[in-house]
Amino acid sequence: MPESDWADAAALLRAMLTGDEARYARLAAEAAGTSAADAYSLLVTTAFIICVRRHFRDGYSTADVIRLVATLRSYSADAAESVDPAGAENVIKTALGEPSPGAEPDMATKTNTQVGTLMILVGHQLSDDELGNFIADALARARKDSHTS
């Protein structure tokens, strides 16, 4: 992928995590149907995995995962409606390295879980510098993963 796609993906992720809806909408419209959209998808997935593993760095239980999903769903009425609890638990446990316990959750459940979790654990808790470092780390890992897959 060209470097410009990764730069566009990072800008899109930053706009999402900082709640800059106008910038996010503009960048998403520009990226739609391009390889920058693919880079963004990979970057969000990578950032989600980093975020979940950092959150549970000291270990976790099923109850801890359920609490995270409950927090995610309580964030807004839209989140409560759009996040399937069982599917979200599956997505989080898979990010933690557990084998998928059953059928793969649908794309909407995966996306809503990933984005919602990032917003709760990253977007509202990191300073601007920390957010920049987080995005840089996710970007480096996503680039690496794109070359090994």
Side-chain angles (χ1 to χ4, degrees), residues 109-131:
T109 295
K110 288 175 81 171
T111 301
N112 291 337
T113 300
Q114 290 176 346
V115 169
T117 302
L118 283 167
M119 292 299 293
I120 289 169
L121 298 180
V122 176
H124 301 294
Q125 295 187 16
L126 299 181
S127 70
D128 195 51
D129 285 344
E130 291 170 325
L131 181 60

Side-chain angles (χ1 to χ4, degrees), residues 51-129:
C51 171
V52 168
R53 290 181 178 175
R54 285 182 182 173
H55 181 73
F56 291 119
R57 76 176 130 257
D58 296 327
Y60 67 95
S61 66
T62 297
D64 294 326
V65 173
I66 291 169
R67 276 190 289 279
L68 177 57
V69 171
T71 301
L72 171 61
R73 294 185 80 234
S74 70
Y75 187 66
S76 70
D78 287 340
E81 289 181 27
S82 65
V83 175
D84 167 56
E89 290 170 27
N90 185 356
V91 172
I92 291 168
K93 286 180 177 180
T94 301
L96 291 166
E98 288 190 24
S100 183
E104 181 79 12
D106 61 52
M107 187 54 76
T109 295
K110 288 175 81 171
T111 301
N112 291 337
T113 300
Q114 290 176 346
V115 169
T117 302
L118 283 167
M119 292 299 293
I120 289 169
L121 298 180
V122 176
H124 301 294
Q125 295 187 16
L126 299 181
S127 70
D128 195 51
D129 285 344

